[in-house]
Amino acid sequence: MLYKLLTQNLTTHDGFQWEVDKTYTIDKPGNTLCSDEVFHAYHSPETAALFNPIHGEIQNPLCYLVDTSEIVADDGLKVGVKSMRLVEQIKLSVFTHRQRTIFAILCAKRVKKHRYTPIPKWDKWANDYINNCATSIDYTTAYAADYAARAARAADYAAYAARAAANAAAYAADAAADAGAAASAASAAACADAGINFTSLAKEALTYKT
């Protein structure tokens, strides 16, 4: 089973209207994501909530369990299918600012584990943040700029993910920017490692309650 986000009126891109328990099929050739060749969905309610800010940007979305045909496209963040039916509404996961930031950190750590470029200050900050010991937003903001410079020089997805994680922490006062930064960390991680299980990382992030 997969999961789909819709507006409160059960519409999606370009106002496409959905009905529960009705099967919709796309006959148009092609399997390209971010196009009208496929219906889009997520592997879990957790990833749907986290990636919405960089995909559909649906305000106050509803999450539905969907029955679909086989997956024909998968970029690590979302998938594409040719046929889809809304089954039932599912409670959408809600992430706090801290949980989004920890998710971003976990994504960056996952990439750095396999494409490691030492960033000692980031490593210390990330561990301190997870352990609730980080002391200053200015601290993380300063390091975010450092990671941006590293990424620009090296085109290193690990550095991009690290920068996005630091940015997520720095955006505590801006919920939209916070959400976008966390999702961007995952996007950079997906570019570096197609095997990342983002649902697992998202569920791990939700275990941090404070």
Side-chain angles (χ1 to χ4, degrees):
M1 288 291 191
L2 298 172
Y3 300 84
K4 186 165 185 65
L5 296 184
L6 303 96
T7 68
Q8 292 289 317
N9 296 322
L10 296 188
T11 61
T12 50
H13 185 65
D14 286 341
F16 186 90
Q17 184 67 58
W18 292 79
E19 294 180 25
V20 177
D21 206 30
K22 179 178 179 179
T23 299
Y24 297 84
T25 301
I26 295 177
D27 295 322
K28 184 176 182 179
N31 300 323
T32 306
L33 288 170
C34 301
S35 77
D36 61 359
E37 297 172 1
V38 295
F39 293 121
H40 299 87
Y42 295 96
H43 286 292
S44 69
E46 293 83 9
T47 54
L50 286 166
F51 300 152
N52 178 47
I54 59 170
H55 291 156
E57 295 184 280
I58 299 174
Q59 300 300 311
N60 193 23
L62 300 178
C63 183
Y64 269 79
L65 179 70
V66 292
D67 184 22
T68 71
S69 56
E70 65 178 325
I71 294 173
V72 295
D74 187 343
D75 67 0
L77 306 184
K78 62 182 180 296
V79 301
V81 299
K82 286 293 194 177
S83 179
M84 180 177 290
R85 176 176 63 90
L86 303 185
V87 177
E88 63 178 331
Q89 186 176 347
I90 299 295
K91 183 178 180 181
L92 187 63
S93 302
V94 177
F95 288 77
T96 65
H97 163 71
R98 175 167 163 75
Q99 288 167 338
R100 287 184 183 275
T101 302
I102 288 176
F103 171 72
I105 289 171
L106 294 174
C107 289
K109 279 178 168 287
R110 177 67 169 75
V111 177
K112 281 164 58 59
K113 181 179 179 180
H114 297 284
R115 298 166 60 102
Y116 190 72
T117 300
I119 312 178
K121 291 181 179 179
W122 185 89
D123 292 333
K124 181 180 185 306
W125 164 76
N127 291 330
D128 284 350
Y129 191 94
I130 288 176
N131 294 320
N132 218 12
C133 299
T135 58
S136 172
I137 291 298
D138 290 336
Y139 180 81
T140 61
T141 304
Y143 287 147
D146 179 54
Y147 306 145
R150 289 175 183 269
R153 289 196 301 270
D156 185 342
Y157 285 117
Y160 278 116
R163 175 192 57 171
N167 280 342
Y171 292 146
D174 187 333
D178 159 39
S184 294
S187 181
C191 289
D193 183 351
I196 295 177
N197 186 332
F198 290 109
T199 294
S200 176
L201 297 184
K203 288 181 176 180
E204 181 179 346
L206 282 173
T207 66
Y208 292 87
K209 302 300 184 183
T210 60

